[in-house]
Amino acid sequence: FFFPVAANLLDNAAPQPLTVREGVLTLGLTAAPDAAAPAALDGVIAITDGGGQRSAFAIAAPVSGAPAAEPALPLWQAAMFALLGGLLLNLMPCVFPVLAMKAMALARLSGARRREIRLHSAFYTLGVLATFALLGGGLVALRAGGATLGWGFQFTEPAFVAALAWLMLGVGLNLSGVFDVAGAANAGAFAAQRGGHAGSFFTGALAVLGATPCTAPFMAAAPGAAPALPPAQTMTVFLALGLGLAGPYALLGLFPGLAQSMPRPGRWMETLRQGLAFPMYAAAAWLAWVLAQLSGPDGVLAVLAGGA
């Protein structure tokens, strides 16, 4: 009997008839309804010999003659949907916590020179595109290795979810003034709250990490079609998604005069900073709930202990 590693691949309740011919054992398997033909079958095969002795072997068998996956959308259409989906991601609740850092950055830029506005816009866009390139490249590499993964695959890793929950909590505490990270351009999200080009870059990176579990209109079709495309075209779709997410902020680089219409920096920024801490706390609580679904009570205990 063969036990597959991947779920929803085979009809595990169906019989698996065995035939022996010319020293070769052939086991009949039934595919699950609507299951796509995999490139390989990974799992464990249990064999019971005539004497009743049972042995088990881990195998990875290539599937010959598997039909090649056809893209659900042509490249131009997938890229267009990705661009629109990225734009709409800015309205999704997953991205809202990061808008706290964006709002503070925009307030600082209201009195800045045009060149400085363009540089901050460029570094934010670069942070978004670089992070999307890392996620897209990782997804392509893992799929090439036979893994079955989809958009937002990093949120299936408990360690990643816990680290992001701690990061959101730390950003919230920093916005609330519980502590202040000294120095310019510190790593991670703390750098995103500081002035400087590194802050704009890390704000873009954090926006991508927070945005990936959301599904905006037009967005589901584009990442769904991307893995069926060649690697270079897959990366094109992911970068189009990043360009859409960075679009509103990137407009400041093209039209720096927009920043002049914002209120001038003042004491109101401290009030705004205090209020914007709460979306960060909400994001940390939501991530703790996600971790509970992945790891149960032990995962929640670990993330709470780390947050303390």
Side-chain angles (χ1 to χ4, degrees):
F1 199 91
F2 176 71
F3 300 89
V5 171
N8 304 320
L9 186 62
L10 300 178
D11 183 357
N12 296 316
Q16 297 185 3
L18 174 68
T19 58
V20 182
R21 183 177 181 183
E22 299 178 356
V24 176
L25 305 180
T26 303
L27 198 61
L29 305 176
T30 303
D34 301 325
L41 277 177
D42 298 334
V44 175
I45 186 166
I47 301 176
T48 304
D49 62 21
Q53 184 69 30
R54 195 181 193 197
S55 303
F57 304 90
I59 64 169
V63 178
S64 60
E70 291 294 333
L73 296 172
L75 176 60
W76 70 269
Q77 193 173 1
M80 182 187 68
F81 282 171
L83 182 66
L84 293 175
L87 283 170
L88 292 177
L89 268 178
N90 287 280
L91 305 177
M92 295 294 106
C94 300
V95 184
F96 183 72
V98 185
L99 293 179
M101 289 177 289
K102 285 187 184 180
M104 297 301 296
L106 287 172
R108 293 191 190 100
L109 290 178
S110 62
R113 296 179 180 177
R114 288 175 177 265
R115 179 178 179 274
E116 193 63 22
I117 293 173
R118 286 192 176 101
L119 285 174
H120 277 281
S121 174
F123 273 90
Y124 173 80
T125 303
L126 181 61
V128 171
L129 294 179
T131 309
F132 264 111
L134 285 175
L135 289 176
L139 182 60
V140 168
L142 290 171
R143 283 186 176 274
T148 304
L149 297 170
W151 174 243
F153 64 94
Q154 68 275 18
F155 278 85
T156 64
E157 293 295 332
F160 176 85
V161 176
L164 193 58
W166 294 329
L167 186 62
M168 292 293 183
L169 176 62
V171 171
L173 293 174
N174 191 240
L175 287 171
S176 293
V178 176
F179 61 89
D180 189 23
V181 180
N186 287 276
F190 300 116
Q193 299 178 53
R194 313 298 296 181
H197 303 144
S200 295
F201 180 89
F202 283 112
T203 302
L206 190 60
V208 175
L209 296 180
T212 46
C214 278
T215 302
F218 308 106
M219 184 181 156
L229 297 169
Q233 297 182 21
T234 297
M235 295 303 298
T236 300
V237 173
F238 275 95
L239 292 177
L241 189 57
L243 191 60
L245 179 62
Y249 204 86
L251 283 176
L252 286 176
L254 298 176
F255 306 101
L258 293 175
Q260 304 301 323
S261 62
M262 297 191 61
R264 294 286 178 176
R267 296 185 60 181
W268 64 271
M269 290 179 60
E270 182 59 30
T271 303
L272 177 64
R273 172 177 170 171
Q274 296 285 335
L276 290 175
F278 291 95
M280 295 296 182
Y281 299 141
W286 173 74
L287 288 165
W289 175 83
V290 172
L291 188 64
Q293 313 307 308
L294 295 174
S295 303
D298 292 341
V300 177
L301 179 61
V303 77
L304 291 178

PDB file of all heavy atoms in Angstrom, residues 101 167 171 174 179-203 205-206:
ATOM      1  N   MET A 101       3.396  53.157   9.185  1.00  0.00           N
ATOM      2  CA  MET A 101       4.733  53.650   8.872  1.00  0.00           C
ATOM      3  C   MET A 101       4.719  54.512   7.613  1.00  0.00           C
ATOM      4  O   MET A 101       5.457  55.486   7.503  1.00  0.00           O
ATOM      5  CB  MET A 101       5.692  52.475   8.726  1.00  0.00           C
ATOM      6  CG  MET A 101       5.987  51.809  10.052  1.00  0.00           C
ATOM      7  SD  MET A 101       7.039  50.381   9.874  1.00  0.00           S
ATOM      8  CE  MET A 101       5.930  49.241   9.094  1.00  0.00           C
ATOM      9  N   LEU A 167       7.705  41.003  15.408  1.00  0.00           N
ATOM     10  CA  LEU A 167       8.087  42.224  14.714  1.00  0.00           C
ATOM     11  C   LEU A 167       6.978  43.267  14.780  1.00  0.00           C
ATOM     12  O   LEU A 167       7.221  44.445  15.082  1.00  0.00           O
ATOM     13  CB  LEU A 167       8.426  41.896  13.256  1.00  0.00           C
ATOM     14  CG  LEU A 167       8.977  43.028  12.396  1.00  0.00           C
ATOM     15  CD1 LEU A 167      10.293  43.541  12.953  1.00  0.00           C
ATOM     16  CD2 LEU A 167       9.171  42.561  10.965  1.00  0.00           C
ATOM     17  N   VAL A 171       7.149  46.898  16.658  1.00  0.00           N
ATOM     18  CA  VAL A 171       6.862  48.153  15.964  1.00  0.00           C
ATOM     19  C   VAL A 171       5.781  48.931  16.711  1.00  0.00           C
ATOM     20  O   VAL A 171       5.872  50.154  16.890  1.00  0.00           O
ATOM     21  CB  VAL A 171       6.432  47.884  14.516  1.00  0.00           C
ATOM     22  CG1 VAL A 171       5.919  49.151  13.854  1.00  0.00           C
ATOM     23  CG2 VAL A 171       7.596  47.315  13.714  1.00  0.00           C
ATOM     24  N   ASN A 174       7.194  50.487  19.794  1.00  0.00           N
ATOM     25  CA  ASN A 174       8.041  51.616  19.421  1.00  0.00           C
ATOM     26  C   ASN A 174       7.204  52.833  19.061  1.00  0.00           C
ATOM     27  O   ASN A 174       7.532  53.962  19.437  1.00  0.00           O
ATOM     28  CB  ASN A 174       8.949  51.204  18.272  1.00  0.00           C
ATOM     29  CG  ASN A 174      10.040  52.229  17.999  1.00  0.00           C
ATOM     30  OD1 ASN A 174      10.119  52.769  16.910  1.00  0.00           O
ATOM     31  ND2 ASN A 174      10.878  52.484  18.985  1.00  0.00           N
ATOM     32  N   PHE A 179       9.656  52.251  24.026  1.00  0.00           N
ATOM     33  CA  PHE A 179      11.100  52.366  23.875  1.00  0.00           C
ATOM     34  C   PHE A 179      11.358  53.036  22.542  1.00  0.00           C
ATOM     35  O   PHE A 179      10.474  53.143  21.700  1.00  0.00           O
ATOM     36  CB  PHE A 179      11.788  50.994  23.944  1.00  0.00           C
ATOM     37  CG  PHE A 179      11.352  50.040  22.863  1.00  0.00           C
ATOM     38  CD1 PHE A 179      11.990  49.998  21.638  1.00  0.00           C
ATOM     39  CD2 PHE A 179      10.278  49.177  23.077  1.00  0.00           C
ATOM     40  CE1 PHE A 179      11.582  49.124  20.644  1.00  0.00           C
ATOM     41  CE2 PHE A 179       9.872  48.290  22.092  1.00  0.00           C
ATOM     42  CZ  PHE A 179      10.527  48.265  20.870  1.00  0.00           C
ATOM     43  N   ASP A 180      12.573  53.494  22.362  1.00  0.00           N
ATOM     44  CA  ASP A 180      12.949  54.161  21.120  1.00  0.00           C
ATOM     45  C   ASP A 180      14.246  53.552  20.640  1.00  0.00           C
ATOM     46  O   ASP A 180      15.198  53.412  21.426  1.00  0.00           O
ATOM     47  CB  ASP A 180      13.127  55.663  21.336  1.00  0.00           C
ATOM     48  CG  ASP A 180      13.305  56.396  20.008  1.00  0.00           C
ATOM     49  OD1 ASP A 180      12.874  55.854  18.985  1.00  0.00           O
ATOM     50  OD2 ASP A 180      13.880  57.497  20.019  1.00  0.00           O
ATOM     51  N   VAL A 181      14.254  53.137  19.391  1.00  0.00           N
ATOM     52  CA  VAL A 181      15.448  52.529  18.827  1.00  0.00           C
ATOM     53  C   VAL A 181      16.396  53.637  18.410  1.00  0.00           C
ATOM     54  O   VAL A 181      16.086  54.443  17.539  1.00  0.00           O
ATOM     55  CB  VAL A 181      15.111  51.630  17.622  1.00  0.00           C
ATOM     56  CG1 VAL A 181      16.371  51.005  17.047  1.00  0.00           C
ATOM     57  CG2 VAL A 181      14.121  50.558  18.044  1.00  0.00           C
ATOM     58  N   ALA A 182      17.543  53.676  19.034  1.00  0.00           N
ATOM     59  CA  ALA A 182      18.498  54.736  18.738  1.00  0.00           C
ATOM     60  C   ALA A 182      19.284  54.403  17.486  1.00  0.00           C
ATOM     61  O   ALA A 182      19.409  53.259  17.079  1.00  0.00           O
ATOM     62  CB  ALA A 182      19.447  54.911  19.920  1.00  0.00           C
ATOM     63  N   GLY A 183      19.816  55.449  16.889  1.00  0.00           N
ATOM     64  CA  GLY A 183      20.661  55.240  15.719  1.00  0.00           C
ATOM     65  C   GLY A 183      19.858  55.328  14.440  1.00  0.00           C
ATOM     66  O   GLY A 183      18.647  55.172  14.425  1.00  0.00           O
ATOM     67  N   ALA A 184      20.535  55.550  13.363  1.00  0.00           N
ATOM     68  CA  ALA A 184      19.870  55.715  12.075  1.00  0.00           C
ATOM     69  C   ALA A 184      19.826  54.405  11.337  1.00  0.00           C
ATOM     70  O   ALA A 184      20.773  53.628  11.353  1.00  0.00           O
ATOM     71  CB  ALA A 184      20.627  56.747  11.236  1.00  0.00           C
ATOM     72  N   ALA A 185      18.685  54.163  10.659  1.00  0.00           N
ATOM     73  CA  ALA A 185      18.552  53.024   9.742  1.00  0.00           C
ATOM     74  C   ALA A 185      18.868  51.713  10.411  1.00  0.00           C
ATOM     75  O   ALA A 185      19.676  50.928   9.961  1.00  0.00           O
ATOM     76  CB  ALA A 185      19.457  53.216   8.522  1.00  0.00           C
ATOM     77  N   ASN A 186      18.207  51.417  11.568  1.00  0.00           N
ATOM     78  CA  ASN A 186      18.359  50.108  12.186  1.00  0.00           C
ATOM     79  C   ASN A 186      17.663  49.076  11.328  1.00  0.00           C
ATOM     80  O   ASN A 186      16.805  49.389  10.522  1.00  0.00           O
ATOM     81  CB  ASN A 186      17.759  50.122  13.594  1.00  0.00           C
ATOM     82  CG  ASN A 186      18.633  50.897  14.559  1.00  0.00           C
ATOM     83  OD1 ASN A 186      19.577  50.356  15.090  1.00  0.00           O
ATOM     84  ND2 ASN A 186      18.332  52.183  14.748  1.00  0.00           N
ATOM     85  N   ALA A 187      18.006  47.809  11.580  1.00  0.00           N
ATOM     86  CA  ALA A 187      17.506  46.745  10.715  1.00  0.00           C
ATOM     87  C   ALA A 187      16.013  46.549  10.888  1.00  0.00           C
ATOM     88  O   ALA A 187      15.422  46.918  11.891  1.00  0.00           O
ATOM     89  CB  ALA A 187      18.241  45.442  11.029  1.00  0.00           C
ATOM     90  N   GLY A 188      15.413  45.936   9.870  1.00  0.00           N
ATOM     91  CA  GLY A 188      14.031  45.493   9.925  1.00  0.00           C
ATOM     92  C   GLY A 188      13.046  46.641   9.968  1.00  0.00           C
ATOM     93  O   GLY A 188      13.287  47.719   9.466  1.00  0.00           O
ATOM     94  N   ALA A 189      11.914  46.368  10.638  1.00  0.00           N
ATOM     95  CA  ALA A 189      10.840  47.351  10.655  1.00  0.00           C
ATOM     96  C   ALA A 189      11.206  48.581  11.455  1.00  0.00           C
ATOM     97  O   ALA A 189      10.658  49.645  11.236  1.00  0.00           O
ATOM     98  CB  ALA A 189       9.574  46.725  11.244  1.00  0.00           C
ATOM     99  N   PHE A 190      12.117  48.443  12.429  1.00  0.00           N
ATOM    100  CA  PHE A 190      12.510  49.616  13.183  1.00  0.00           C
ATOM    101  C   PHE A 190      13.178  50.641  12.270  1.00  0.00           C
ATOM    102  O   PHE A 190      13.010  51.835  12.439  1.00  0.00           O
ATOM    103  CB  PHE A 190      13.442  49.219  14.327  1.00  0.00           C
ATOM    104  CG  PHE A 190      12.794  48.271  15.288  1.00  0.00           C
ATOM    105  CD1 PHE A 190      13.283  46.987  15.443  1.00  0.00           C
ATOM    106  CD2 PHE A 190      11.682  48.656  16.011  1.00  0.00           C
ATOM    107  CE1 PHE A 190      12.675  46.110  16.317  1.00  0.00           C
ATOM    108  CE2 PHE A 190      11.072  47.783  16.890  1.00  0.00           C
ATOM    109  CZ  PHE A 190      11.561  46.506  17.045  1.00  0.00           C
ATOM    110  N   ALA A 191      13.942  50.167  11.298  1.00  0.00           N
ATOM    111  CA  ALA A 191      14.520  51.090  10.328  1.00  0.00           C
ATOM    112  C   ALA A 191      13.434  51.769   9.520  1.00  0.00           C
ATOM    113  O   ALA A 191      13.582  52.909   9.090  1.00  0.00           O
ATOM    114  CB  ALA A 191      15.477  50.349   9.395  1.00  0.00           C
ATOM    115  N   ALA A 192      12.318  51.069   9.326  1.00  0.00           N
ATOM    116  CA  ALA A 192      11.228  51.653   8.542  1.00  0.00           C
ATOM    117  C   ALA A 192      10.604  52.848   9.241  1.00  0.00           C
ATOM    118  O   ALA A 192       9.988  53.690   8.602  1.00  0.00           O
ATOM    119  CB  ALA A 192      10.155  50.592   8.281  1.00  0.00           C
ATOM    120  N   GLN A 193      10.746  52.929  10.571  1.00  0.00           N
ATOM    121  CA  GLN A 193      10.175  54.043  11.294  1.00  0.00           C
ATOM    122  C   GLN A 193      11.133  55.219  11.371  1.00  0.00           C
ATOM    123  O   GLN A 193      10.757  56.299  11.807  1.00  0.00           O
ATOM    124  CB  GLN A 193       9.808  53.611  12.720  1.00  0.00           C
ATOM    125  CG  GLN A 193       8.773  52.503  12.743  1.00  0.00           C
ATOM    126  CD  GLN A 193       8.477  52.081  14.154  1.00  0.00           C
ATOM    127  OE1 GLN A 193       8.156  52.883  15.003  1.00  0.00           O
ATOM    128  NE2 GLN A 193       8.611  50.807  14.424  1.00  0.00           N
ATOM    129  N   ARG A 194      12.372  55.014  11.037  1.00  0.00           N
ATOM    130  CA  ARG A 194      13.354  56.078  11.114  1.00  0.00           C
ATOM    131  C   ARG A 194      13.385  56.867   9.805  1.00  0.00           C
ATOM    132  O   ARG A 194      12.854  56.461   8.794  1.00  0.00           O
ATOM    133  CB  ARG A 194      14.754  55.491  11.371  1.00  0.00           C
ATOM    134  CG  ARG A 194      14.797  54.446  12.470  1.00  0.00           C
ATOM    135  CD  ARG A 194      14.392  54.981  13.818  1.00  0.00           C
ATOM    136  NE  ARG A 194      15.337  55.992  14.276  1.00  0.00           N
ATOM    137  CZ  ARG A 194      15.224  56.627  15.451  1.00  0.00           C
ATOM    138  NH1 ARG A 194      14.217  56.386  16.231  1.00  0.00           N
ATOM    139  NH2 ARG A 194      16.128  57.519  15.793  1.00  0.00           N
ATOM    140  N   GLY A 195      14.057  57.989   9.843  1.00  0.00           N
ATOM    141  CA  GLY A 195      14.292  58.714   8.615  1.00  0.00           C
ATOM    142  C   GLY A 195      15.354  57.993   7.814  1.00  0.00           C
ATOM    143  O   GLY A 195      15.967  57.030   8.258  1.00  0.00           O
ATOM    144  N   GLY A 196      15.607  58.464   6.630  1.00  0.00           N
ATOM    145  CA  GLY A 196      16.653  57.873   5.812  1.00  0.00           C
ATOM    146  C   GLY A 196      16.086  56.940   4.767  1.00  0.00           C
ATOM    147  O   GLY A 196      14.954  56.457   4.857  1.00  0.00           O
ATOM    148  N   HIS A 197      16.930  56.664   3.788  1.00  0.00           N
ATOM    149  CA  HIS A 197      16.504  55.834   2.676  1.00  0.00           C
ATOM    150  C   HIS A 197      16.324  54.376   3.084  1.00  0.00           C
ATOM    151  O   HIS A 197      15.476  53.678   2.526  1.00  0.00           O
ATOM    152  CB  HIS A 197      17.517  55.963   1.539  1.00  0.00           C
ATOM    153  CG  HIS A 197      17.706  57.389   1.097  1.00  0.00           C
ATOM    154  ND1 HIS A 197      18.916  57.887   0.702  1.00  0.00           N
ATOM    155  CD2 HIS A 197      16.812  58.423   1.024  1.00  0.00           C
ATOM    156  CE1 HIS A 197      18.780  59.174   0.388  1.00  0.00           C
ATOM    157  NE2 HIS A 197      17.518  59.515   0.568  1.00  0.00           N
ATOM    158  N   ALA A 198      17.133  53.905   4.045  1.00  0.00           N
ATOM    159  CA  ALA A 198      16.961  52.526   4.524  1.00  0.00           C
ATOM    160  C   ALA A 198      15.583  52.334   5.132  1.00  0.00           C
ATOM    161  O   ALA A 198      14.967  51.276   4.992  1.00  0.00           O
ATOM    162  CB  ALA A 198      18.047  52.175   5.540  1.00  0.00           C
ATOM    163  N   GLY A 199      15.065  53.361   5.817  1.00  0.00           N
ATOM    164  CA  GLY A 199      13.726  53.254   6.378  1.00  0.00           C
ATOM    165  C   GLY A 199      12.675  53.066   5.307  1.00  0.00           C
ATOM    166  O   GLY A 199      11.758  52.262   5.451  1.00  0.00           O
ATOM    167  N   SER A 200      12.790  53.796   4.203  1.00  0.00           N
ATOM    168  CA  SER A 200      11.835  53.635   3.103  1.00  0.00           C
ATOM    169  C   SER A 200      11.930  52.241   2.491  1.00  0.00           C
ATOM    170  O   SER A 200      10.920  51.620   2.150  1.00  0.00           O
ATOM    171  CB  SER A 200      12.094  54.697   2.036  1.00  0.00           C
ATOM    172  OG  SER A 200      11.836  55.984   2.534  1.00  0.00           O
ATOM    173  N   PHE A 201      13.165  51.728   2.348  1.00  0.00           N
ATOM    174  CA  PHE A 201      13.360  50.397   1.774  1.00  0.00           C
ATOM    175  C   PHE A 201      12.700  49.334   2.647  1.00  0.00           C
ATOM    176  O   PHE A 201      11.963  48.471   2.155  1.00  0.00           O
ATOM    177  CB  PHE A 201      14.855  50.113   1.634  1.00  0.00           C
ATOM    178  CG  PHE A 201      15.173  48.772   1.049  1.00  0.00           C
ATOM    179  CD1 PHE A 201      15.299  48.609  -0.329  1.00  0.00           C
ATOM    180  CD2 PHE A 201      15.330  47.654   1.858  1.00  0.00           C
ATOM    181  CE1 PHE A 201      15.591  47.372  -0.878  1.00  0.00           C
ATOM    182  CE2 PHE A 201      15.616  46.418   1.322  1.00  0.00           C
ATOM    183  CZ  PHE A 201      15.749  46.274  -0.049  1.00  0.00           C
ATOM    184  N   PHE A 202      12.925  49.388   3.961  1.00  0.00           N
ATOM    185  CA  PHE A 202      12.381  48.357   4.845  1.00  0.00           C
ATOM    186  C   PHE A 202      10.876  48.503   5.020  1.00  0.00           C
ATOM    187  O   PHE A 202      10.187  47.519   5.289  1.00  0.00           O
ATOM    188  CB  PHE A 202      13.086  48.390   6.200  1.00  0.00           C
ATOM    189  CG  PHE A 202      14.454  47.759   6.170  1.00  0.00           C
ATOM    190  CD1 PHE A 202      15.586  48.530   6.325  1.00  0.00           C
ATOM    191  CD2 PHE A 202      14.609  46.397   5.969  1.00  0.00           C
ATOM    192  CE1 PHE A 202      16.844  47.967   6.296  1.00  0.00           C
ATOM    193  CE2 PHE A 202      15.861  45.817   5.925  1.00  0.00           C
ATOM    194  CZ  PHE A 202      16.990  46.604   6.085  1.00  0.00           C
ATOM    195  N   THR A 203      10.354  49.707   4.891  1.00  0.00           N
ATOM    196  CA  THR A 203       8.901  49.866   4.900  1.00  0.00           C
ATOM    197  C   THR A 203       8.281  49.106   3.731  1.00  0.00           C
ATOM    198  O   THR A 203       7.263  48.425   3.875  1.00  0.00           O
ATOM    199  CB  THR A 203       8.517  51.348   4.821  1.00  0.00           C
ATOM    200  OG1 THR A 203       9.098  52.040   5.920  1.00  0.00           O
ATOM    201  CG2 THR A 203       7.009  51.518   4.863  1.00  0.00           C
ATOM    202  N   ALA A 205       9.604  46.516   2.172  1.00  0.00           N
ATOM    203  CA  ALA A 205       9.761  45.080   2.410  1.00  0.00           C
ATOM    204  C   ALA A 205       8.710  44.567   3.376  1.00  0.00           C
ATOM    205  O   ALA A 205       8.109  43.504   3.160  1.00  0.00           O
ATOM    206  CB  ALA A 205      11.169  44.799   2.949  1.00  0.00           C
ATOM    207  N   LEU A 206       8.454  45.310   4.453  1.00  0.00           N
ATOM    208  CA  LEU A 206       7.463  44.876   5.431  1.00  0.00           C
ATOM    209  C   LEU A 206       6.057  44.915   4.859  1.00  0.00           C
ATOM    210  O   LEU A 206       5.204  44.085   5.208  1.00  0.00           O
ATOM    211  CB  LEU A 206       7.554  45.741   6.687  1.00  0.00           C
ATOM    212  CG  LEU A 206       6.753  45.254   7.891  1.00  0.00           C
ATOM    213  CD1 LEU A 206       7.215  43.860   8.315  1.00  0.00           C
ATOM    214  CD2 LEU A 206       6.892  46.214   9.061  1.00  0.00           C
TER     215      LEU A 206
END
